[in-house]
């Protein structure tokens, strides 16, 4: 947990400029290493070393390089690209290099640096002078830093000496084994933060979205990809996850997406009430904004910056959800820079190391035991935007290899106004067996059987729908027509969910289970009616609308209301049979 030491800065000069690719001349005595930061030109444009060959250094610039010419001055930074971590992150908006945008001017000039945080924070120690602590142990908390505890951790094991209880972020509040402990620390964004071990126990992450929690659950510390073409609802689904998932901290990385979409996300976060704390959802969210009109190469750094912030809060013992929208734009930045550096291209021009880059990103997710002994997690959800909806393109295909869940968004469902448009035939979750075992141990032993029946009903309906298109629904046997009816009830009464509804935007685990159970009860009832000789055409004319209205007319945790709607439909079926 120690900060990486800064080496002395050294002046040098620009050799060549090609868009975001800049080459520097260095002498034999200049101390420079891979991934070191560099400032370019008089405007001090930030960059990062990506290649060193002989006495030429290749730098990727993170801002517009117009006006930068050969011979311009440059300065090495002496340490890797790093993020300053400390109190004041929650509820704020930053760019891809973690520079605050919340109080930035309307137009940012190249080279705009981080504004010094002059706020005074209060440190409440939880240890006494002379105590022996392990690395990662909690020394105390910073008050007023957000709705979740902001813990100051010991960087090394040793004896504690308390020095201050109040100060700015650079104040030394304690010393552990002669190592100064400040309220802030600097950490290289490409270096994963350490922990003791990964935790094998699986606990589902409740998202509040029935299509995910019921059919394709993700575990805490898992990873999920959301591939979908234009207009399939990726951004809205990710917004719903940010608003309602059961996480202590949300890190939302807007990587290359349109500015108006990211503005909508932030407006909702600052407007919606957090049911956990009573404040706004933004109070426990960190937004890393790197929109499509911002410098392209900063996209490449933004996902690593967001992950470092997530690991920072994970080390405090919090469950964090990191949402990256979208990893395709990140991969496109890698492709463009690879073409400028002459890197060996692979499929569709993406660099050959794309698979390694994706793997390095997703493997930083996980449920862990921190150095201080707390259990915490980072769950990663990455959107993928395949061109033309082609699910075989490299980013989608490679991402599928490294994630635990894939929530594929179907264009036909989206065009039919079925949201969220999660395809039950094109999605998967590798966590289903473990999640089913978790529910069995925690009071819902029917979870796996319920999910199995729903998935089987949808699969049978898809098969029969293709047959019905050929011969007509009326030509099918009664039991098969009831399968089609049951699947329609599942889609419209359970899986559909309105992000704009106060009642339906979030669904508790109990309401999700109740909606699925009541639909299955009705399916069983109509199948029994077919066996009793009631014509399928008569059953198809029964009023099922109370069942379809249940999700909108009941509160997020109103199980009794859902059962009441079921009873109305069952009464209608009894009238038909009488």
């Amino acid at each position: 947990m120690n900060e990486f030491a800064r080496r002395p800065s050294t002046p040098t000069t620009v050799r060549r400029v090609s868009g975001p690719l800049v080459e520097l001349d260095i002498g034999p005595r200049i101390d420079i290493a891979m991934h070191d930061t560099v400032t370019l030109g008089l405007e001090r444009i930030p960059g990062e070393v990506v290649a060193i060959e002989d006495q030429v250094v290749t730098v990727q610039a993170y801002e517009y390089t117009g006006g930068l010419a050969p011979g311009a001055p440059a300065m090495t930074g002496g340490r890797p690209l790093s993020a300053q971590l400390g109190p004041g992150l929650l509820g704020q908006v930053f760019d891809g290099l973690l520079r605050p945008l919340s109080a930035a001017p309307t137009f940012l000039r190249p080279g705009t640096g981080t504004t010094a945080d002059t706020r005074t924070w209060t440190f409440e120690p939880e240890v006494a002078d002379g105590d022996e602590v392990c690395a990662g142990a909690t020394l105390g908390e910073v008050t007023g830093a957000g709705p979740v505890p902001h813990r100051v951790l010991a960087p090394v094991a040793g004896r504690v000496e308390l020095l201050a209880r109040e100060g700015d972020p650079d104040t030394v509040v304690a010393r552990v084994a002669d190592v100064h402990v400040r309220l802030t620390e600097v950490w290289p964004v490409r270096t994963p933060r350490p922990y003791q071990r990964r935790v094998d126990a699986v606990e589902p992450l409740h998202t509040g979205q029935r299509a995910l929690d019921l059919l394709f659950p993700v575990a805490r510390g898992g990873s999920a990809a959301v591939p979908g073409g234009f207009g399939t609802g990726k951004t809205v689904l990710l917004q719903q996850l940010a608003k309602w998932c059961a996480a202590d901290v949300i890190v939302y990385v807007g990587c290359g997406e349109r500015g108006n979409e990211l503005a909508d996300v932030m407006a909702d976060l600052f407007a919606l009430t957090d049911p956990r704390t009573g404040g706004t959802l933004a109070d426990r969210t960190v937004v890393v904004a790197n929109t499509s009109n911002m410098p392209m190469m900063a996209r490449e750094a933004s996902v690593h910056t967001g992950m470092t912030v997530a690991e920072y809060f994970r080390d405090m013992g919090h469950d964090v959800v990191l949402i990256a929208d979208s990893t395709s734009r990140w991969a496109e930045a890698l492709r463009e820079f690879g073409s400028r550096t002459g890197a060996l291209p692979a499929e569709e021009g993406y660099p050959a190391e794309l698979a390694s880059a994706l793997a390095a990103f997703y493997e930083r997710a996980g449920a862990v035991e921190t150095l201080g002994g707390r259990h915490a997690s980072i769950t990663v959800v990455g959107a993928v935007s395949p061109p033309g909806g082609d699910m075989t393109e490299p980013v989608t295909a490679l991402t599928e290899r490294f994630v635990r869940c894939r929530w594929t968004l179907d264009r036909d469902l989206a065009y039919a106004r079925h949201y969220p448009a999660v395809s039950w035939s094109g999605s998967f979750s590798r966590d289903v067996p473990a999640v089913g075992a978790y529910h069995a141990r925690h009071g819902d032993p029917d979870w796996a059987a319920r999910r199995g029946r729903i998935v089987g009903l949808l699969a049978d309906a898809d098969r029969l729908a293709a047959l019905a298109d050929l011969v007509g629904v009326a030509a099918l046997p009664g039991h098969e027509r009831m399968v089609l009816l049951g699947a329609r009830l599942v889609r419209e009464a359970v899986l559909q969910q309105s992000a704009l509804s106060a009642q339906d935007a979030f669904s508790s685990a109990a309401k999700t289970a109740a909606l699925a159970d009541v639909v299955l009860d009705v399916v069983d009832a109509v199948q029994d009616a077919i066996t009793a000789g009631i014509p399928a055409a008569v059953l198809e004319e029964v009023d099922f609308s109370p069942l379809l209205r249940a999700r909108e007319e009941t509160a997020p945790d109103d199980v009794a209301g859902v059962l009441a709607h079921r009873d109305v439909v069952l009464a209608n079926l009894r009238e038909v049979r009488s």
Side-chain angles (χ1 to χ4, degrees), residues 458-473 476 484:
L458 292 169
D460 289 343
D462 286 346
R463 175 179 55 83
L464 293 172
L467 182 61
D469 289 341
L470 293 175
V471 301
V473 174
L476 297 178
L484 294 175

Side-chain angles (χ1 to χ4, degrees), residues 32 48 67 72 76 81 112-113 171 176 258 313 460-461 483 494 521 546 552:
I32 196 166
E48 181 183 13
T76 64
L81 179 66
T112 301
T171 300
V176 179
R258 290 176 290 276
F313 285 103
D460 289 343
V483 169
V494 182
D521 289 344
E552 286 275 5

Side-chain angles (χ1 to χ4, degrees), residues 478 482 526 528-539 542 573 576-578:
M482 292 305 99
V526 296
D528 291 344
I530 289 291
T531 303
I534 306 298
V538 173
L539 293 172
V542 172
L573 288 172
V576 170
R577 296 187 62 174
S578 61

Side-chain angles (χ1 to χ4, degrees), residues 48-49 83 111 151-152 182 239 295 312 385 452 572-573 575:
E48 181 183 13
V49 175
R151 301 182 176 100
V152 178
R182 293 178 170 83
Q239 290 175 13
Y312 177 63
S385 306
N572 294 339
L573 288 172
E575 288 183 7

Side-chain angles (χ1 to χ4, degrees), residues 59-371:
V59 174
Q60 64 176 11
Y62 287 123
E63 289 183 355
Y64 178 60
T65 57
L68 188 66
M75 182 71 72
T76 64
R79 69 180 174 194
L81 179 66
S82 304
Q84 182 169 310
L85 308 170
L89 290 175
L90 293 176
Q92 300 299 315
V93 183
F94 301 89
D95 71 356
L97 304 182
L98 209 64
R99 298 177 296 187
L101 296 178
S102 303
T106 304
F107 298 100
L108 294 175
R109 295 180 59 81
T112 301
T114 302
T115 303
D117 187 354
T118 58
R119 287 175 291 180
T120 298
W121 301 96
T122 300
F123 172 67
E124 296 291 341
E126 296 182 3
V127 294
D129 274 321
D131 285 355
E132 293 284 342
V133 297
C134 64
T138 301
L139 300 179
E141 293 185 4
V142 178
T143 59
V148 298
H150 188 102
R151 301 182 176 100
V152 178
L153 308 179
V156 294
R159 187 181 300 273
V160 177
E161 178 186 356
L162 298 176
L163 299 177
R165 295 200 174 191
E166 187 176 272
D168 61 34
D170 201 42
T171 300
V172 178
V173 295
R175 186 185 295 118
V176 179
D178 294 328
V179 176
H180 288 170
V181 181
R182 293 178 170 83
L183 295 181
T184 59
E185 61 176 284
V186 176
W187 191 267
V189 298
R190 302 183 191 280
T191 303
R193 291 171 66 90
Y195 51 84
Q196 284 196 41
R197 64 181 181 91
R198 288 186 179 265
V199 177
D200 295 330
V202 172
E203 177 185 353
L205 174 71
H206 185 64
T207 67
Q209 308 305 299
R210 291 185 293 270
L212 306 182
D213 295 333
L214 178 62
L215 300 184
F216 309 108
V218 62
R220 289 191 186 275
S223 52
V226 188
F230 177 77
T232 54
K234 290 189 303 298
T235 298
V236 174
L237 178 59
L238 295 178
Q239 290 175 13
Q240 289 296 95
L241 293 177
K243 295 172 190 175
W244 304 116
C245 70
D248 299 321
V249 175
I250 304 293
V251 179
Y252 194 102
V253 182
C255 179
E257 291 301 300
R258 290 176 290 276
N260 59 336
E261 291 183 353
L262 200 56
D264 288 342
V265 173
M266 291 186 289
D268 288 343
L269 290 174
F270 281 95
L272 290 173
T273 300
D274 185 352
R276 290 184 166 196
T277 64
T280 65
L281 285 172
D283 292 340
R284 59 182 177 93
T285 303
V286 180
V287 178
V288 179
N290 192 264
T291 56
S292 56
N293 62 331
M294 289 183 176
M296 188 201 63
M297 289 316 303
R299 299 180 200 171
E300 196 275 334
S302 63
V303 294
H304 300 292
T305 299
M307 182 61 76
T308 300
V309 172
E311 290 176 340
Y312 177 63
F313 285 103
R314 177 207 65 190
D315 290 348
M316 298 181 194
H318 301 309
D319 291 312
V320 184
V321 170
L322 183 143
I323 298 173
D325 185 14
S326 107
T327 56
S328 292
R329 307 291 177 251
W330 172 49
E332 288 168 4
L334 293 175
R335 178 171 62 182
E336 176 164 333
F337 193 77
S339 68
R340 291 182 180 273
T341 58
L344 182 66
E347 187 178 358
E348 296 191 16
Y350 288 102
E353 65 269 16
L354 176 62
S356 299
L358 287 168
F361 171 64
Y362 282 106
E363 74 179 3
R364 291 173 75 172
V368 304
E369 181 180 344
T370 67
L371 295 179

